[in-house]
Amino acid sequence: MTEMEKYHVILFDSVHHALRSEKILKGMGIPHKLIPVPRHISSDCGVCLRFTIDLRNKIEDALNGKVDIYEIRPL
Amino acid sequence: MEQSIYFDNAATSWPKPEETYIAIDHFNRSIGGSPGRSGHRVSIESGRVIMNARESLAQLFNIDDPFQIVFTKNATEALNLAIFGLLLPGDHVITSSMEHNSVMRPLRVLESQGVELSIVRCSPQGYLDPDDLPALIRENTKAVVLTHASNVTGTIMPIKEVGDIIRGRGLILCVDAAQTAGALPIDVSDMNIDLLAFTGHKSLFGSQGTGGIYIRKGLEERIRSLMVGGTGSRSEFEIQPDFMPDKYESGTLNTSGLAGLGAGGEYILKKGIDHIRDKEILMTQHFLDGLKSISGVHIYGPGDASRQISVVSFNLNGMTPSEISFTLDEHYGIMSRPGLHCAPSAHRTIGTFPGGTVRFSFGYFNTEEQISYALGAVQQISRDQKK
Ligand SMILES: Cc1ncc(COP(=O)(O)O)c(C=O)c1O
C-alpha cells in the first residue's frame, strides 16, 4: 500500500461547509487537514478535508446532522 | 456647546465596540481575499471570518445550524427576501399596524398583485393583542409578519404568544428583529420563529451594509431566491444551487462588514444580553421618569421601560418634532430623530400622523449622565417655549 492510499477526502458543496467541518473536528480533537482539492478529483469547492481511513466512522459521526457531506472518496 | 451626544441608536448604533473596529480593520489590512471562491490561504481565512459571524449569531439566537442564516445587506433586503420569496397571489398574510415600511411596502406591492393582506390594529401604545389574531386566520393564510419591537414607540410585541397561537395551524411566523437583535433575548426555537430578519448595524454592533435572515430548516424549499448568480459552488451548472446558504447568497459578500458583525455578536455574547438589556432598561426608565415631570411633554408608547426597548417617542406642546430635534442638536449637541421614522402606519396607530414625534434611542454605550443632561435640555426647551 502506498502512503497515498491511507487517506480519504471529504468533498463538500461549498467552502462554508468545509470550514464548518474543520471547526467541528478541531473542537473534538479529531485529526484532519484542509487541503486543496487534488487535480484528479473534480469539485468546484476549492478545498476538501483529508483524513486517515481509520477515522472515517468517527468523522462521519461527528459531522452527522451538522454538515452535509457531498462525497467521501479515496485520495 | 461642548457636548456631542448620540441618541439615534435605533437608526444605527454608534459607537461600536472596539472589537468591531479592530475586526474590520484586520480583515481589510491583513486578510482580504474572496470568501468561498478559491482554496488559497486568504480566501480560506476570509471564509473563516464569514463562518465566525454565522456561528456567533447562531449562538445568540439559539439556531442549531448556522447555515440556516443567510447574509444580506440589511434587514430590508432580508424582509424582501422573506416576503417576496414566500408569498404568491392568492395567499393571505397578516401583519400589524406598527410595522416599518420595510415590511409594509413589500406587502403593499404584493397586495396590488393579488396577495390578500390583513392588518391587525394595535393599541395607541403600540400593543398587539394576540387574541385579535385567530379571527383573522383564513383558509389561505400563509404567514404572519410581525415586528419584534416598534422603532417608533419601542413597544415590545408578544412574539412568543403569537407563535403559540399560530403553531399547529401550519402558518409561518416571520419576525422583523431589526430593532431587537442584540437588544432583547431571541430564541427562535422557544419563540416558534420560522423567519428572523435582522440588521447588523443597530444593536448587533456591526457595520452598515450587513444583515441577514434565519430560515427554519426545510422552509428554504418554499422561498424563491430573489437574486441568483455566482456562489463559488457548483460552478459547473448554470442553475442556482438549492442548498443553504448558497441558494440566497449570490455575489461576493460584505466580508469586512461581516467581520465587524461577527465581532459585535461575540461582544454581546461576552457581555451577556441580559446585562445589556438591564443597562438599557435603567437608562430608558430614567429618561421616561424625567420626561413625565416636564410640563408640556407628551410621551407615546408604553411609558414603562420593561415593556419597551430603549426607544422613546415624545412631543412638546407648541413645537414641531423637527423644531425640537433641531434645537436639541443646535443648542445642546444632542442628536435625535424627528418625523415619521419610516413607519407611517405606526404613527397613525399612535395618533401622530402626519406630524410625527421626536425619537430618542439609547444604546449600550450611552450613560446616565447623558440622560440627565438631555432631561435638563428638554426641560429648558419647554421653559423657553412658554416665555
Ligand atoms: C423595525 C425596523 N424594521 C426594519 C428596519 C430596516 O433596517 P435596515 O435599514 O437596516 O434595512 C428598521 C430600521 O431602519 C426598523 O427599525
Side-chain angles (χ1 to χ4, degrees):
Chain A
M1 213 156 83
T2 69
E3 213 33 43
M4 291 292 271
E5 278 164 341
K6 286 194 286 187
Y7 289 114
H8 272 35
V9 290
I10 310 178
L11 304 178
F12 296 96
D13 277 326
S14 78
V15 180
H16 307 302
H17 295 77
L19 294 176
R20 172 117 175 106
S21 304
E22 184 196 35
K23 203 157 175 178
I24 291 168
L25 297 182
K26 229 180 231 166
M28 298 177 74
I30 302 175
H32 63 279
K33 192 166 163 46
L34 201 60
I35 61 163
V37 178
R39 204 173 320 153
H40 65 280
I41 300 173
S42 137
S43 162
D44 183 44
C45 162
V47 287
C48 58
L49 268 181
R50 191 189 70 183
F51 59 94
T52 52
I53 43 177
D54 54 307
L55 292 174
R56 179 168 180 156
N57 289 341
K58 216 170 167 184
I59 287 182
E60 277 188 278
D61 286 348
L63 300 182
N64 185 25
K66 294 199 175 113
V67 185
D68 290 334
I69 288 172
Y70 184 70
E71 192 188 354
I72 299 186
R73 52 177 292 167
L75 185 62
Chain B
M1 179 199 83
E2 302 298 324
Q3 297 267 5
S4 172
I5 298 181
Y6 186 78
F7 281 158
D8 199 12
N9 289 279
T12 199
S13 64
W14 189 86
K16 312 291 180 187
E18 194 56 28
E19 287 85 341
T20 299
Y21 302 129
I22 291 171
I24 293 170
D25 187 66
H26 175 70
F27 173 80
N28 281 321
R29 215 180 281 278
S30 312
I31 304 178
S34 177
R37 298 297 193 269
S38 9
H40 59 71
R41 73 192 76 174
V42 295
S43 174
I44 295 283
E45 201 46 41
S46 183
R48 287 200 182 100
V49 165
I50 306 259
M51 190 71 238
N52 179 54
R54 240 187 270 281
E55 286 174 345
S56 63
L57 295 181
Q59 194 182 337
L60 193 58
F61 304 140
N62 193 25
I63 293 166
D64 286 339
D65 182 354
F67 291 135
Q68 294 305 121
I69 296 175
V70 168
F71 287 123
T72 60
K73 72 175 175 348
N74 47 38
T76 303
E77 187 186 335
L79 288 162
N80 271 263
L81 170 57
I83 292 170
F84 285 110
L86 180 69
L87 298 169
L88 295 165
D91 288 338
H92 173 235
V93 59
I94 301 172
T95 193
S96 88
S97 69
M98 290 302 287
E99 301 305 311
H100 188 273
N101 267 343
S102 56
V103 166
M104 220 44 120
R105 285 179 173 170
L107 289 178
R108 289 297 188 194
V109 168
L110 285 176
E111 189 181 30
S112 74
Q113 296 171 354
V115 169
E116 298 166 27
L117 173 63
S118 299
I119 300 175
V120 184
R121 177 110 200 143
C122 297
S123 75
Q125 286 74 40
Y127 290 119
L128 175 126
D129 183 349
D131 293 338
D132 288 344
L133 272 180
L136 292 173
I137 297 173
R138 305 175 188 167
E139 192 106 302
N140 57 339
T141 307
K142 194 175 205 174
V144 174
V145 185
L146 194 58
T147 190
H148 189 187
S150 162
N151 66 311
V152 174
T153 56
T155 314
I156 298 170
M157 294 298 193
I159 298 294
K160 189 165 157 54
E161 288 77 359
V162 170
D164 287 341
I165 287 173
I166 70 174
R167 191 214 331 236
R169 299 192 199 221
L171 304 191
I172 292 162
L173 176 58
C174 173
V175 173
D176 172 4
Q179 287 296 334
T180 56
L184 293 182
I186 295 177
D187 181 326
V188 294
S189 149
D190 179 53
M191 295 163 96
N192 284 307
I193 297 172
D194 299 296
L195 295 163
L196 181 81
F198 58 87
T199 206
H201 63 100
K202 301 187 200 257
S203 292
L204 287 173
F205 295 136
S207 61
Q208 295 176 13
T210 60
I213 185 162
Y214 156 74
I215 299 178
R216 171 157 295 177
K217 206 162 235 164
L219 198 50
E220 65 269 19
E221 285 158 28
R222 297 170 66 190
I223 299 176
R224 295 178 299 280
S225 316
L226 300 190
M227 218 181 1
V228 296
T231 56
S233 54
R234 302 271 167 94
S235 296
E236 63 275 35
F237 300 113
E238 292 181 4
I239 54 162
Q240 188 76 3
D242 59 0
F243 56 83
M244 295 289 287
D246 295 32
K247 178 173 181 182
Y248 308 105
E249 279 183 0
S250 292
T252 307
L253 288 169
N254 175 3
T255 314
S256 67
L258 292 172
L261 178 56
E266 280 173 1
Y267 182 83
I268 294 163
L269 289 167
K270 188 178 78 192
K271 289 282 167 189
I273 192 114
D274 292 330
H275 161 75
I276 292 172
R277 172 72 179 141
D278 287 347
K279 183 175 175 194
E280 294 187 354
I281 285 182
L282 286 179
M283 288 189 292
T284 306
Q285 196 61 52
H286 178 180
F287 189 64
L288 285 166
D289 291 344
L291 273 190
K292 283 174 191 165
S293 66
I294 299 172
S295 75
V297 169
H298 188 91
I299 303 171
Y300 303 92
D304 170 356
S306 69
R307 308 187 69 178
Q308 64 194 82
I309 53 168
S310 54
V311 164
V312 176
S313 257
F314 68 94
N315 269 319
L316 252 176
N317 280 344
M319 288 177 85
T320 66
S322 39
E323 284 166 346
I324 302 165
S325 242
F326 179 80
T327 309
L328 283 164
D329 187 13
E330 199 66 6
H331 299 293
Y332 300 93
I334 295 171
M335 289 165 265
S336 61
R337 179 169 171 196
L340 293 173
H341 314 100
C342 300
S345 173
H347 278 280
R348 279 199 183 88
T349 305
I350 67 171
T352 50
F353 186 87
T357 56
V358 179
R359 182 184 76 180
F360 274 39
S361 48
F362 312 116
Y364 181 66
F365 296 109
N366 286 125
T367 63
E368 296 286 348
E369 292 71 40
Q370 291 175 328
I371 308 270
S372 299
Y373 171 79
L375 285 168
V378 176
Q379 173 93 61
Q380 193 55 48
I381 295 171
S382 159
R383 281 201 200 106
D384 293 347
Q385 161 68 14
K386 289 202 202 84
K387 278 183 198 156

